[in-house]
Amino acid sequence: MEDCDNRHWDELSPDALGLIFRNLSLQEILVVIPRVCKSWRKTVLGPYCWQEIDILDWSLLRDPDTINRMLQMLISRRSGSLCKLCVSCLPNDSCLSLIAEHGTALHTLRLPRSEITNSIVEQVAERFSAVTFLDLSFCKNIGASALEAIGKHCANLTGLRRVMCPFEALDKSSQDDEALAVASTMHKLKHLEIAYLLINTESVLRILENCPDLELLDVQGCWNVIPDETFKKFSRVKLVGPLEEISESNRWDDFDCSNYSSSSGYLAWDFVADELDDEFEMLEFFGEDYRSVDDMDHAYSDSSAGSP
C-alpha cells in the first residue's frame, strides 16, 4: 500500500480537491487557494467549487456594477453544475438572463430586493424548472404574471418566499392577484411566506384549498386576512399571522432547507472589507493577468510537489 506521507496534494483530482475546498469560505477559495499551487488554482478556475454560490449579504452593500461583475465571474465557473444561488439586489433584467442561461440545474434560487421585471421572469421561467425553493422578497417590480409563469414552469416548487415591505404597497389597492396566481399554479408548495401582501381572507383560503401539501403559511402583516371558523379544516397548516410577530430566524425553524440543495452549505461570504471591497481585487486572480501566470517566472519546482 502506498505510504500516505508520500502522496502529493497537488496531484489529487480536481473533483477531490473541489470537495475539500467546499469546506472553506468563499474568501479563501477566491483569494488564498489560487496562490498555493497550479493544480489548486486550476481547480478554482473550473466548475468543481461552484455548485453553491451565496453572496446574499455581501451584495447588499455593493453597487450594481460590482454585483454584476462578481455574478458573471462566479457563474462562469460552474459549467452547468450550479445548484444553489443566493444574491441580493440584482440591478437589472440582464442579470436574471445570465442566471437563467447557466442555471438550469438550480434547486435553490434566492433573489431578494432585485430590480427584475415581469417580462424577464416570464421569458426565462421555463429555464428554472428544477427549482424547488425560490425567494423573490422585496422585488417590487414583479407581480402576479411573474408568479404565474413561475408556477407553470417550476413544477417541483415546494418553497416560496414573497415577503414585501408594507411601505412599498401604499400605492396598491390589492395584491390578491398574486395570491390567486400562487393558488392556481403552485400546488406542491409546503412552505409559503407572503407577509405584508395586500391580500384578503378569500385569497388565503384559495391557497389553503389548492395547496394540499402546505405545512407553513406566513401571512404576517396581511391585515385584511381574518381567520375564522373556515380555517379550522386546515389545521394541518401552521398559520403565522396576520397579527403574530415572527423573527427572521424563527421564520425558517420549521422548514427543512436540506431538501432544496444537494450540497452542504459551505459558502459563507465573510470577505474582509479592506481586502475585497470596491477595488474588486479578486479579479486579478481570475482575469487575463492571472490566467497568464503559467507564462511567468513564478513557477513551482518539481521538488515542491509533495506539499502545497
Side-chain angles (χ1 to χ4, degrees), residues 73-136:
M73 182 186 71
L74 293 180
I75 287 182
S76 67
R77 312 256 84 80
R78 45 26 70 218
S79 184
S81 61
L82 184 63
C83 67
K84 177 180 179 179
L85 176 64
C86 305
V87 54
S88 301
C89 307
L90 292 184
N92 50 51
D93 285 349
S94 62
C95 289
L96 186 59
S97 295
L98 174 69
I99 295 170
E101 181 180 354
H102 299 285
T104 54
L106 277 168
H107 292 284
T108 298
L109 181 60
R110 299 190 64 189
L111 305 172
R113 299 176 177 84
S114 293
E115 297 294 327
I116 55 177
T117 63
N118 285 320
S119 60
I120 189 61
V121 175
E122 292 169 25
Q123 291 175 36
V124 303
E126 61 182 340
R127 299 189 65 84
F128 296 125
S129 59
V131 169
T132 57
F133 179 79
L134 180 64
D135 185 354
L136 293 174

Side-chain angles (χ1 to χ4, degrees), residues 223-244:
W223 313 121
N224 293 327
V225 175
I226 303 174
D228 54 24
E229 293 295 318
T230 311
F231 282 74
K232 290 184 178 180
K233 67 179 181 178
F234 303 107
S235 57
R236 72 180 190 283
V237 181
K238 180 179 180 180
L239 185 68
V240 179
L243 302 179
E244 182 178 352

